[in-house]
Amino acid sequence: MRIVVLVKYVPDIDADRRFEDCRVVRTPGEGTLNELDENALEAALRIVESLDDDARTAAEVVALTVAPEQGDLALRKAFQMGVDRGVRVSDDALAGSDYAGTAAALAAAVRRLEADGPVDLVITGMAALDGLGSVVPALVAAELGRPALTFAKKVALTDGVLEVVRETDEATETLSAPLPALLSVADTANTPRMPNFKLIMAARTKAIEAWTLADLGLDAALVGDAGARTTTTHAAPRPARPEVELVQDKGSGGKDLAEYLIRHDLV
Amino acid sequence: MTNRTVLVLLDPAAEVRSSVLELLTIGRDLGRVEVVTLESPSVEALARLGTHGVETVHQAELPAAVRGDARHLPAVVAATLAAAVRRTDADVVLAPSTFAAKEAVALAGHALGAGVIIDAAGVTEDADGRIVGTKRVFAGSWDTTSVVTTDVALLTVRANAVVPKPADAAVATEVEGFAVPVDAPLPAVTQRVPVVRDAARPTLEEAAVVVAGGRGTGGDFGPVEDLADALGAAVGASRDAVFEGWFDRYVGQTGVTVAPRLYIGAGISGAPHHRGGMQASQVIVAVNADPEAPIFEICDFAVVGDLADVLPQAAEVIRAHKAAR
Ligand SMILES: Cc1cc2nc3c(=O)[nH]c(=O)nc-3n(C[C@H](O)[C@H](O)[C@@H](O)COP(=O)(O)OP(=O)(O)OC[C@H]3O[C@@H](n4cnc5c(N)ncnc54)[C@H](O)[C@@H]3O)c2cc1C
Ligand SMILES: Cc1cc2nc3c(=O)[nH]c(=O)nc-3n(C[C@H](O)[C@H](O)[C@H](O)COP(=O)(O)OP(=O)(O)OC[C@H]3O[C@@H](n4cnc5c(N)ncnc54)[C@H](O)[C@@H]3O)c2cc1C
């Protein structure tokens, strides 16, 4: 069993997230592993742990990111949780990638990994907390020609068949597909494990493989600004809200609330 | 108005929800609006589309293997949208911002080699006639504008982007079938249980007013529902309240993202994960017993108090105000 987990390096949601020249500022120190990708890592590790001894020894979990050098931070976190290998795809030509470009780069890296053995499963988080598109998983599946089982809240793998339960806005669905497939997990799928002390120590020095577009055999014209089909032309902080009107409830707080709504034509 | 063709996704096709009416309203400003469905629209839906100026509904004729529950899989919806664009030579595709529709739109963009904007808060055109999407990002703290640089533009649009308006004149709506080849590898749909909607309340995704309850309700959503009913609002929750089993749907980055005219949070602390899903709301009101609650930092109006006292009183005053009107 070989599993590739896609992990994104994102600005911390508690940090001062911002744009400069219409680009997200990714200041080192304010970046982190996308929290929702911890659920993807957990799902991968649990699948491996559920295998019998021989299969478990032969199994490999690879964490893969498309990011500048700082993205190593996301991979170190993945090592701390227990993945075997970390791969970062970095290339100046990737700057400005849109959904399509990002998915093309991720899929090319998965194909490159397939050069030395099949990849049975690609696992992702349900969203990256910066772009929040939630569409990269489906696009990577399309690039790889695999079925996508996305937003899983329950995951089971039996005899090479993946089955998930998911809730969409319209329905609760049970989906299944034989491997190879792509799986994206919701934050309700599992509780990510805490990093393990032994692994924390080992993670510091684990080798990270850095690949460029040339290593992937991917045409630079398909990614980054060159390949982008959408361009951000303007980014500005929203005007600050006026100072909050704060009332203490001394028996008429509900009335005050209602009157605020009536005064502002919200009723 | 230009001679663009704008396709709007209607899935499911039994009713035309307010989010779709908003898309039709946006679409009419960009060009001629047509609708794409995966099943036959109800009579009521067709009448509604007629009042919104839709002359043509393109209904997918799917391969037998994907006619059942599988027809709602994003890859099937995507194949349908892509085929509809090719058939009509459409310039723009608009869909609501649900998780399933986002995937479908992105995959259709992939098939067509076209640019995609997810979660737009508004759609316009620039001086060169290119489609422009505005977005509220980073928990509603930044506004961005993006231009689609390909000939075809696909967008998912958040609810409450515009106030839906019927067309100046109603038209007769015709349904035309069209064949859709589906060659993507699909998972099997072994079970599908549709969500039962509360007919008495708007849905969280679409509501113009949302009242949400958190852990501070202590499990009693009565006051939250009471105020929601007085306002004609949807009810939501924090993730913790849902995990406690007190309610079924939560607002937030991983739950439902809302941007209504008015959001009222009661007994919700305002964690970043929750704020990410409501901070783009136009007016934010909070009721919280703790004067230091982080949600107060992003509020327009706040009451420090017990929600069990404050909400019912507010509901009563609002009901009296409405009755007097
Ligand atoms: C605020 C903002 C708005 C944007 N809007 C648009 C837009 O409207 N249209 C458009 O085409 N592009 C847009 N982009 C660009 C887009 O976000 C990037 O192409 C890209 O970073 C992937 O999309 P995402 O962040 O939405 O990921 P999501 O689709 O939300 O990510 C889901 C999962 O995919 C995996 N994943 C995603 N990216 C990576 C990565 N780089 N490395 C490893 N794993 C990954 C992770 O497992 C993640 O959990 C936007 C970017 C930002 C920051
Ligand atoms: C990966 C991840 C994703 C997440 N995604 C989401 C998400 O999408 N949405 C979400 O909501 N959360 C999400 N969370 C959880 C989030 O971090 C918070 O834990 C959660 O939002 C807190 O819920 P709460 O405000 O109801 O509870 P608390 O933080 O416990 O706050 C309860 C509040 O109620 C107040 N209170 C108590 N009694 C009363 C009373 N009688 N009257 C008035 N006020 C009272 C308290 O002062 C307090 O401020 C996520 C967490 C993780 C790790």
Side-chain angles (χ1 to χ4, degrees):
Chain A
M1 173 80 56
R2 267 178 106 212
I3 303 177
V4 176
V5 185
L6 307 185
V7 295
K8 191 177 181 189
Y9 171 76
V10 300
D12 198 312
I13 56 169
D14 290 319
D16 170 31
R17 296 186 293 176
R18 60 200 185 280
F19 287 81
E20 245 170 57
D21 298 331
C22 294
R23 287 280 165 79
V24 177
V25 178
R26 297 181 192 272
T27 315
E30 288 183 1
T32 180
L33 164 66
N34 175 41
E35 198 175 5
L36 295 165
D37 295 343
E38 291 179 25
N39 298 97
L41 290 162
E42 181 65 34
L45 295 167
R46 285 193 194 181
I47 286 173
V48 169
E49 285 159 1
S50 73
L51 302 173
D52 64 36
D53 287 351
D54 286 349
R56 194 168 346 120
T57 319
E60 184 180 43
V61 180
V62 186
L64 166 66
T65 192
V66 167
E69 233 168 88
Q70 301 98 283
D72 282 356
L73 207 139
L75 297 174
R76 297 264 172 241
K77 200 87 189 275
F79 282 133
Q80 294 177 4
M81 283 179 71
V83 306
D84 305 296
R85 234 176 120 179
V87 173
R88 165 169 52 78
V89 178
S90 303
D91 201 304
D92 287 345
L94 282 163
S97 291
D98 61 3
Y99 300 135
T102 304
L106 287 164
V110 172
R111 280 193 296 265
R112 168 82 200 317
L113 284 164
E114 295 232 76
D116 41 72
V119 169
D120 303 286
L121 195 51
V122 177
I123 308 186
T124 78
M126 67 178 281
L129 291 177
D130 55 348
L132 273 180
S134 285
V135 300
V136 167
L139 292 172
V140 170
E143 288 271 336
L144 294 172
R146 298 179 172 207
L149 295 84
T150 53
F151 303 112
K153 67 163 194 179
K154 273 193 203 144
V155 181
L157 181 66
T158 320
D159 299 331
V161 176
L162 185 67
E163 184 180 88
V164 309
V165 178
R166 64 177 202 161
E167 273 162 25
T168 69
D169 300 300
E170 299 295 336
T172 302
E173 294 176 333
T174 307
L175 308 180
S176 73
L179 300 185
L182 178 137
L183 166 70
S184 94
V185 292
D187 60 336
T188 44
N190 55 43
T191 307
R193 65 196 60 194
M194 298 301 282
N196 159 315
F197 181 73
K198 229 174 80 198
L199 292 174
I200 293 179
M201 300 312 288
R204 294 189 185 163
T205 50
K206 278 229 179 188
I208 286 171
E209 293 154 73
W211 294 348
T212 62
L213 291 179
D215 294 322
L216 304 183
L218 187 63
D219 182 353
L222 297 176
V223 298
D225 276 330
R229 302 158 183 174
T230 64
T231 313
T232 301
T233 51
H234 179 77
R238 269 187 103 188
R241 288 180 188 273
E243 187 80 18
V244 53
E245 255 180 76
L246 193 84
V247 305
Q248 188 79 40
D249 180 30
K250 296 204 178 86
S252 62
K255 196 164 153 273
D256 295 341
L257 197 168
E259 280 166 0
Y260 173 86
L261 299 183
I262 293 164
R263 197 161 67 239
H264 288 84
D265 212 12
L266 292 162
V267 171
Chain B
M1 167 99 114
T2 65
N3 58 1
R4 276 198 203 91
T5 299
V6 180
L7 296 179
V8 171
L9 173 65
L10 178 68
D11 177 37
E15 53 166 332
V16 187
R17 296 187 186 145
S18 64
S19 54
V20 174
L21 296 180
E22 289 182 28
L23 299 180
L24 298 175
T25 305
I26 292 170
R28 283 201 311 271
D29 278 343
L30 300 171
R32 185 183 66 257
V33 184
E34 302 184 352
V35 159
V36 182
T37 69
L38 289 105
E39 56 207 358
S40 97
S42 66
V43 176
E44 297 78 40
L46 282 177
R48 203 83 198 269
L49 294 174
T51 62
H52 280 263
V54 176
E55 285 173 17
T56 313
V57 173
H58 302 276
Q59 184 186 333
E61 284 160 7
L62 295 166
V66 290
R67 269 182 215 152
D69 288 339
R71 72 178 180 277
H72 302 291
L73 284 171
V76 176
V77 178
T80 301
L81 289 174
V85 167
R86 292 192 177 111
R87 168 186 157 90
T88 59
D89 219 0
D91 309 284
V92 183
V93 172
L94 302 176
S97 264
T98 63
F99 282 118
K102 289 184 206 188
E103 285 192 352
V105 162
L107 289 169
H110 186 257
L112 294 164
V116 170
I117 293 179
I118 298 291
D119 281 340
V123 188
T124 50
E125 58 186 302
D126 69 7
D128 303 324
R130 296 180 305 181
I131 296 295
V132 174
T134 54
K135 285 178 96 163
R136 302 239 158 89
V137 304
F138 293 166
S141 61
W142 281 72
D143 284 331
T144 62
T145 304
S146 308
V147 178
V148 178
T149 53
T150 50
D151 289 343
V152 179
L154 300 97
L155 302 95
T156 73
V157 185
R158 286 210 178 139
N160 297 303
V162 294
V163 177
K165 278 195 309 270
D168 294 337
V171 296
T173 309
E174 304 262 314
V175 179
E176 288 178 15
F178 71 111
V180 176
V182 180
D183 46 23
L186 302 173
V189 184
T190 52
Q191 200 185 30
R192 187 172 200 270
V193 184
V195 172
V196 183
R197 287 177 179 251
D198 183 348
R201 287 212 190 94
T203 65
L204 205 43
E205 288 85 356
E206 298 175 346
V209 181
V210 170
V211 184
R215 198 182 274 286
T217 59
D220 179 8
F221 264 63
V224 173
E225 292 180 344
D226 185 26
L227 180 58
D229 288 341
L231 288 166
V235 175
S238 69
R239 194 178 79 158
D240 286 15
V242 168
F243 278 19
E244 292 284 357
W246 300 340
F247 200 71
D248 55 353
R249 307 196 69 202
Y250 64 92
V251 170
Q253 308 209 91
T254 58
V256 181
T257 303
V258 298
R261 274 186 77 211
L262 169 65
Y263 164 94
I264 302 178
I268 290 181
S269 59
H273 299 104
H274 185 80
R275 296 206 318 226
M278 46 62 73
Q279 201 163 336
S281 305
Q282 283 169 34
V283 175
I284 299 175
V285 171
V287 180
N288 197 302
D290 173 9
E292 305 288 320
I295 196 166
F296 288 160
E297 289 163 22
I298 55 159
C299 272
D300 299 285
F301 184 83
V303 182
V304 181
D306 189 334
L307 68 91
D309 300 329
V310 176
L311 301 193
Q313 190 181 62
E316 200 185 304
V317 176
I318 288 161
R319 284 204 186 90
H321 171 79
K322 282 189 169 172
R325 240 186 339 211

